[in-house]
Amino acid sequence: MIIRLTKLSNACLVVLITLLLATTCISKAQDFNRLREKMVEDQIARRGIKSKPVLEAMRKVERHKFVPRNVIDGAYNDHPLPIGEGQTISQPYIVAFMTEALALKPTDRVLEIGTGSGYQAAILGEIAEEVYTIEIVEVLGQRSDSLLKKIGYQNIFVRIGDGYLGWPEAAPFDAIIVTCSPSKIPQPLQDQLKDGGRMMIPVGDTFTQELVLLVKEKDKLKRQSRLPVRFVPMRDSSGKRY
Ligand code: SAH
């Protein structure tokens, strides 16, 4: 009798703990949904981002899934976050600003240099037809590739390699976004941009860079300076900054 009661109370305890864990997970997910909504209102829309597809993508993509566990509570904060290997995921506003400036159409094919956490690629994947993204740090590239697959993106292709060289087999691209900073605009990326194509790239020295929008018209690049920024450097495979 006593043994039966113990078994019963053990079973009850397991059910109770499971219920408690499930409730905690649900309320945590609801917290993240609220924080994401607030991030879009306060940091993105209020600062002047108007593009509907960009706002929708920022509302949909669960940024907390792209950051390491130890910084997950800051996933929706107004600043960049470390993602390991000395690299960072950009501030949400910068992701939105760069994406809006690319003026993407649903049929566009986009190249991203610097996959990092995969978050920017996911935002692009919500808006454009195909996203090709290159990461030079193998562990980051592999992690993002499996995360993006797990979430279900079938239109995002991750390559591990040196993004300076672009992705010639998939070129030309309607848009190119560079999320690491070289001192000059890489020639291969200029060559792989379609006529009428747009490129967003942070150029400058290690500490002061400007976010530049380039529009290709009849093989010439028209350049507009948009924002002072600071991105991690674009490096070659030996670690030297481009
Ligand atoms: N877009 C990313 C931000 C990543 S930070 C995100 O949403 O999280 C910039 C990334 O560029 C880093 O992961 C860094 O390793 C990568 N990087 C630096 N030089 C590179 C190069 N030559 N080719 C490809 N990726 C590079």
Side-chain angles (χ1 to χ4, degrees), residues 111 113 134 159 162-169 173 186 188-189 192:
L111 173 68
I113 310 304
I134 309 176
R159 169 182 276 189
D162 186 351
Y164 181 92
L165 305 168
W167 195 317
E169 310 88 303
F173 298 97
L189 300 185
Q192 291 173 31

Side-chain angles (χ1 to χ4, degrees), residues 83 85 87-90 95 112-121 134-137 140 161-164 179-180 231-236 242:
I83 53 168
E85 311 301 316
Q87 307 304 326
T88 53
I89 176 173
S90 305
V95 173
E112 179 194 26
I113 310 304
T115 314
S117 67
Y119 176 71
Q120 172 76 71
I134 309 176
E135 172 55 55
I136 203 161
V137 177
L140 291 178
D162 186 351
Y164 181 92
T179 65
C180 46
F231 278 73
V232 297
M234 181 187 276
R235 296 186 190 282
D236 67 15
Y242 276 115

Side-chain angles (χ1 to χ4, degrees), residues 153-172:
Y153 289 103
Q154 289 178 354
N155 61 339
I156 304 178
F157 309 99
V158 181
R159 169 182 276 189
I160 291 157
D162 186 351
Y164 181 92
L165 305 168
W167 195 317
E169 310 88 303

Side-chain angles (χ1 to χ4, degrees), residues 123-194:
I123 295 288
L124 298 168
E126 291 289 335
I127 303 172
E129 178 137 318
E130 283 183 338
V131 179
Y132 294 81
T133 179
I134 309 176
E135 172 55 55
I136 203 161
V137 177
E138 193 171 349
V139 286
L140 291 178
Q142 279 169 351
R143 198 189 297 155
S144 299
D145 190 25
S146 44
L147 175 62
L148 291 162
K149 285 204 174 88
K150 192 171 140 205
I151 296 173
Y153 289 103
Q154 289 178 354
N155 61 339
I156 304 178
F157 309 99
V158 181
R159 169 182 276 189
I160 291 157
D162 186 351
Y164 181 92
L165 305 168
W167 195 317
E169 310 88 303
F173 298 97
D174 300 284
I176 299 180
I177 178 169
V178 184
T179 65
C180 46
S181 168
S183 54
K184 289 198 299 264
I185 298 156
Q187 189 62 46
L189 300 185
Q190 300 185 38
D191 297 342
Q192 291 173 31
L193 195 59
K194 258 188 203 167

